[in-house]
Structure formats: structure tokens, C-alpha cells
Amino acid sequence: MDAARPPILEVRGLRKSFGHSEVLRGIDLAVAPQEMVFIIGPSGSGKSTLLRCCNRLEEPTSGAVHLGGVDLMAPSTDINAMRRKIGMVFQSFNLYPHMTALGNVTLALRKVAARSRTDAETLGMAALDRVGLAAKAKSYPGELSGGQQQRVAIARALALEPTVMLFDEPTSALDPELVGSVLAVMRELKAAGMTMLVVSHEMRFARDAADRVIFMDHGVIVEEGAPDQIFAKPREARTRAFIAGLTRS
Amino acid sequence: MEAIIQQFFNLDIMARALPLVLAGLRQTLLLCFIVIPLGLVGGLVFALASLSSSRTVRWSMIAAIDFFRAVPPLVLLIFVYSGLPFAGIRLSPLTAVAVAFFLNTSSYYGEIYRAGIESVGRGQWDAARSTGLSAVSTLSHVVLPQAVRNVLPDLVSNTVEVVKLTSIASVVALPELLYSADMARSVTFNASPIVLAAAIYLVMLWPVVRLISRLERRMAS
Ligand SMILES: Nc1ncnc2c1ncn2[C@@H]1O[C@H](COP(=O)(O)OP(=O)(O)OP(=O)(O)O)[C@@H](O)[C@H]1O
Ligand SMILES: [Mg+2]
């Protein structure tokens, strides 16, 4: 990583407990502009919780999150305004079923960014176009394939022109033949310079697209490094065991 | 047979009772136009309060909803109309009916809305909030439209119940449909006006009941 560039997203000493169980136990993480960071780790290791703490969908128990130098935990911070800058894509798409693709993409533009309807629709169409779905603008989520739905969800985040995008297992609910279309969109985002934090076990994709891979277990970062290093020569025994399991399946 | 027709389906009597019965119908419709919107709005407020993040608000709201659903509406109405004056609160019959119905029907509508809101998955909240939508915008643009659609048959069914329930306004001498028909019965010594009132209820509510069946069928598919 380039030490000269200040991180765009920075997480320090992040802890999160649900009741008595501590799910994140002190996470430190800095993502540089335009960097694509992958997070891998066993189920229940806290990957989703970490992402959700980055935009405070989940309230951290302690620790700090900064985006572009702004302290997201500060009481004076308008969290809704900051969330526009943090795009989030979910495993289960979470499109609004009662709205068309364009409606999904323009809702926040109109209600949060306070754009006029025409403005929002122009921006929304541009976002749909970026994910190759301008032709489906008038379709409802129920009429789209899983891969198309996920791309609309990406467009929904993209339309707000975020500075960082968080992906939580964006392809794991998809049929194998639809995964490629979503990965292709992510690859294009990367090429366009988007900063991305991605929870995903698409190892092949990680190897050729990620700048860095982080292995988490039990709420801590066990090891991080370049994808080739993590996947081919993991230092930690836990990482090795996990990667071996991934490769087998 | 002749006697039955004479006593229950006497067109002559019905014609004579018609003006009175129609006046009652107007009163019933007026009640519905007050009581149903009040219940729909009140129910939404009850539901939101019962889903509040504050434990105190949540539990007191759930307790209130349970209470007003458990108390028979007739008892509630009599209490509001005849009980409250002992505390110095004297309400007109119409106000008393509005208050009692507000408490009763809001509780029922509230439970329905609550089920509807809970039927909308957490993922919808996550998605909307992650784009910066406030809780209020998320509710009004994302969650409520889906919630209402999911419980529409129940909302409509409850509305039918509310329409039928307006007949209890007769105990505070509010001359609604049933009360007027019963007046006509006591003057004419004939049950035909009651049958007429029943027919009017049927004509009003039967299409709605059909609609409920269709909504339910659509939901199931
Ligand atoms: N809202 C919640 N309330 C209580 N416990 C929770 C909540 N969300 C997550 N957890 C718990 O926190 C732990 C970490 O969950 P998390 O979803 O972050 O793991 P994950 O690494 O994303 O797992 P997976 O690979 O299965 O998605 C799990 O034990 C989970 O049961
Ligand atoms: Mg997860």
C-alpha cells in the first residue's frame, strides 16, 4: 500500500458485541483510495458485522470509523449524509419489490440528494447503463434474474456517487452462470477507480482483481497480504486451513 | 307463509319506513367516514409506537392495545358516554362514539399494521438506510407500501367489522341505521324495517366481502 496516500476509509479499534458475545474484537483497517480489499473468513467470523459497522447500520460498541477524514461516530456527523458516500451491496440484493429498477435507483436521489424527478431519472438511467441494464429500467425486481437484480442493486448504490463501496457476498446467492455478470461489473468499477471493500469467497476473482486480502476469524484480523501470498503461501495455520477448505469445495 | 311475508317482507311497511331508515343510513355513513379514517390513522400511530425503540413506549403501547382489544366495544362506549361524566367529562353522543371507536378500532388496525410492518424483512430497512434514507422516509416509501399490501385483506376485513360495529352507537341514542329501523319496527309492530336494514347492510358490504376473497386469493398465488 502507498503510505503517502491517506486512507479513505479507516477503522480503528473497532469492537462490537451482541449481548454477551463479542463479535468484533478490535479491528484496525485502512483502505486507500481506489484500493480493492477482500475480506475472507469462516461463517460467523464477523465479516458482515464489520461491513455494517462501516456505515453504522450496526452501531459499534467502541472504536472509530473515519471516511475521508470525517469521524462517523461523532455526534455532530450527519450519518444519513455520510451514508450516501458509502454504497452497500447485499447478498440478498434487497431491491424494493414494489418499485421498478429505475424507481429503486432513483429513490435516494430524490429523497436524500433532493434531486428533481427529471434529474434523478437522468442520473438513474446513467447508473443502470453502467451495469448494462438501461433496457430493464421499467422492469420490477420480480421480473429480473438474480444477476440482473444484483446489478440493479449496484446501480442503486452507484447512482449516489459513493466514494467507497461495500459488498457483502454479492454473488453467493446467485446461480453459478449468473455470477460472471456481477463480477464483470465489479471489475469495471475497479477499473474506473472505485474504492471497494468486498466480503467474498470468489477466490479466482480475488486473485486477479484484489489489491489486498484480509483473513478474519473470531472477530479479529488474523492475517492480511497480497492475494497471491494469502492464497498460495498463508503464514498462519488458521488461514492455511481455511484456504485449504475453500480450494476443496 | 302468508304471515311470514306479512311480518318480515311487507313492502308496504318497508316503503313507509324508508325515509326513516335512509336517515339512519346517512347517519351510519357519517359515522363510518369519521370512525374508519380515525382508526386507520390511529392504528398506524399505535403500530409505530408499539415498534418504538424505547422500551417504555413499546410496552405501554402494547399494553394499551391489548387492553382496548380485550374490552368489549359496547362496554367502552357506555363507559365513555355514561361513565366519564362522573369525572366531569361530558361528551356528545357523536364524540363519545368517535372516542370509543378510536380506542377500539385503532387497536385492531394497529395490530394489523404491526404484523404488516414486521412482515417486511430487515433487508429492506438495511438497503434504504444504507442509501441515506431517514427512518421516516424508509417507513413511508419502502416499508409501509409493502406492509399495507401484505395485510390488505386484513385491513379490509377489519373495516367491514367496523362498519357493522357502528350499530352499537344506538345505545347512546345515535339514530344510525339499525336504531332507525328498530324505531320503525316499534311503531309499525312489524319486523320488515329490520329486514330492510339488513338488506342495506348486505348491499353495502357484500361487494367488499367479495373483494376480500379476491385479495386473499391473489395473496395466496
Ligand atoms: N443482529 C445480531 N444480533 C445478534 N447476533 C448477531 C447479530 N448479527 C450477527 N450476529 C452474530 O455475530 C456473529 C458474526 O456474524 P456475521 O454475520 O458478522 O458473520 P459473517 O462472518 O458475516 O458470517 P457469514 O459468512 O455466515 O455471513 C455471528 O455469531 C452472528 O450470529
Ligand atoms: Mg455475512
Side-chain angles (χ1 to χ4, degrees), chain A residues 80 83-84 96 108 112 156-157 160, chain B residues 126-133:
Chain A
N80 287 335
R83 279 177 179 156
R84 275 167 59 192
Y96 315 133
V112 187
R156 174 172 64 186
L160 295 164
Chain B
D126 285 347
R129 297 309 301 274
S130 78
T131 61
L133 253 65

Side-chain angles (χ1 to χ4, degrees), chain A residues 52 57 90 92-99 104 107 141 149 153 156, chain B residues 116-135 137-139 141-147 150:
Chain A
R52 296 168 61 82
L57 275 189
F90 304 86
S92 48
F93 328 139
N94 299 345
L95 289 183
Y96 315 133
H98 60 300
M99 293 181 195
N104 270 271
L107 180 67
Q149 289 189 53
R156 174 172 64 186
Chain B
I117 291 169
E118 281 175 345
S119 75
V120 177
R122 171 170 112 152
Q124 294 288 306
W125 284 96
D126 285 347
R129 297 309 301 274
S130 78
T131 61
L133 253 65
S134 66
S137 290
T138 301
L139 254 179
H141 298 290
V142 175
V143 176
L144 281 181
Q146 297 181 60
N150 291 349

Side-chain angles (χ1 to χ4, degrees), chain B residues 131-170:
Chain B
T131 61
L133 253 65
S134 66
V136 172
S137 290
T138 301
L139 254 179
S140 57
H141 298 290
V142 175
V143 176
L144 281 181
Q146 297 181 60
V148 167
R149 184 184 295 195
N150 291 349
V151 294
L152 198 54
D154 295 331
L155 283 175
V156 181
S157 294
N158 193 53
T159 304
V160 170
E161 292 307 315
V162 174
V163 172
K164 291 192 277 186
L165 199 62
T166 54
S167 62
I168 68 170
S170 57

Side-chain angles (χ1 to χ4, degrees), chain B residues 7 27 52 60 80 100 126 137 163-165 185 208 217:
Chain B
Q7 260 319 305
Q27 196 62 239
S52 154
S60 41
V80 169
D126 285 347
S137 290
V163 172
K164 291 192 277 186
L165 199 62
R185 178 199 57 78
V208 188
R217 221 161 333 117

